[in-house]
Amino acid sequence: MDHKTDPFAHHPELRGKIEDPLTSFFRDFSVDSVLKMHPELASVMEWVYSDEAREDTRRRCLADYGPDDLWVFAYGSLMWDPALSFSDVRRAYVPDFARRFILVDDNGGRGTKDSPGLMAALDQGDGCAGLVFRISAQDVERETEILWRREMIGPGYLPVFVTAQIDGKPGRALTFVADHCADVIDADLSRSDQVRLIAHGAGFLGTSKAYLENIVTQFAHLGIVDADCSALLQEVEAFLISESAPVARTQP
């Protein structure tokens, strides 16, 4: 296939490293589908946006966006499982923002009320490397509706357009940044709290540790070094080993 039909033309090393969007769990993801599979999560409905409120944020965000292809910047699970039908994928870098583990998940995804987990949010910082996916203009309406059902399920993120360096050239990309007014965002977490939450958090999407492992793995495929993510994963693994180590008994 040539570059016009092959979304991996610019980065063939990513072929097979990104989930097929059409078979992704998130392709048909919705609040109703989650509750059908996990009725025990009914208590979190107070946190969830209504369909009308969610759609209102999408309409307002895209109101001034022209009839062009749309770049979506991915810095977390969207990197390996975008669930979006994309025509191109590129490496990208967003200045003035950073990937920070400050989204506390106790709503069932990768953590529960009894054992909260932790995920990444894009926040102010020194720069963030990731991927951008190009959505063809004729697909923007359908694909952003799918994207909003996933990223804007409840308060936590704000949809914004940022300037991304896409293969060294500036471009405008849609992404989701930390909403500091949301209860799930805790920018003051200590490192030990981050480690503990990632080590113990688990929900219907999997564990918080697997989420971090996938970020580090995806960076390895890309040739990107994120020292903080790699160090955080090492600290989580060391923490779990220390928890499982037998307690030494003192001699009487």
Side-chain angles (χ1 to χ4, degrees):
M1 291 188 290
D2 63 26
H3 72 281
K4 294 182 180 179
T5 58
D6 180 8
F8 297 100
H10 293 93
H11 294 289
E13 74 277 8
L14 291 178
R15 198 184 312 277
K17 305 298 191 299
I18 295 173
E19 296 276 348
D20 181 351
L22 299 183
T23 60
S24 170
F25 166 80
F26 290 106
R27 189 71 182 172
D28 299 313
F29 178 83
S30 70
V31 173
D32 290 341
S33 67
V34 171
L35 287 179
K36 185 176 181 179
M37 291 185 293
H38 301 279
E40 72 277 8
L41 297 178
S43 61
V44 307
M45 286 300 294
E46 294 180 359
W47 168 74
V48 170
Y49 282 135
S50 67
D51 291 341
E52 293 77 16
R54 186 179 306 110
E55 179 64 9
D56 181 61
T57 67
R58 185 175 76 92
R59 292 294 182 192
R60 285 189 285 111
C61 180
L62 299 175
D64 297 327
Y65 192 81
D68 302 314
D69 292 354
L70 174 70
W71 287 109
V72 176
F73 178 68
Y75 56 87
S77 60
L78 286 175
M79 288 192 295
W80 64 86
D81 188 9
L84 300 172
S85 181
F86 58 94
S87 59
D88 193 5
V89 58
R90 308 280 189 99
R91 289 173 56 167
Y93 182 82
V94 175
D96 303 322
F97 286 89
R99 184 185 300 98
R100 298 185 63 203
F101 283 81
I102 57 175
L103 194 155
V104 179
D105 182 6
D106 62 1
N107 292 305
R110 294 185 183 272
T112 63
K113 300 295 183 185
D114 294 331
S115 186
L118 194 65
M119 293 188 291
L122 197 63
D123 202 14
Q124 295 297 312
D126 296 330
C128 182
L131 300 178
V132 283
F133 295 94
R134 185 197 295 270
I135 311 300
S136 297
Q138 67 270 18
D139 298 330
V140 167
E141 178 70 14
R142 179 189 66 216
E143 299 304 315
T144 55
E145 194 274 332
I146 292 170
L147 181 63
W148 248 255
R149 279 193 273 116
R150 172 182 181 172
E151 297 299 297
M152 296 295 290
I153 187 171
Y157 294 130
L158 295 172
V160 299
F161 282 92
V162 296
T163 298
Q165 294 294 323
I166 303 171
D167 285 346
K169 298 179 181 179
R172 189 179 182 218
L174 171 69
T175 194
F176 297 84
V177 303
D179 179 2
H180 286 261
C181 293
D183 291 340
V184 298
I185 296 294
D186 188 347
D188 297 322
L189 283 174
S190 67
R191 187 69 163 193
S192 60
D193 286 337
Q194 290 177 320
V195 169
R196 176 179 51 81
L197 290 168
I198 294 172
H200 291 159
F204 70 88
L205 294 177
T207 67
S208 295
K209 181 174 181 285
Y211 171 84
L212 176 56
E213 288 172 335
N214 282 331
I215 289 177
V216 173
T217 298
Q218 193 71 351
F219 280 163
H221 295 319
L222 283 169
I224 295 173
V225 176
D226 186 306
D228 185 64
C229 282
S230 297
L232 184 57
L233 179 57
Q234 290 176 351
E235 291 171 41
V236 170
E237 291 172 339
F239 175 80
L240 289 170
I241 291 173
S242 69
E243 278 198 326
S244 63
V247 178
R249 294 184 178 179
T250 59
Q251 294 295 326

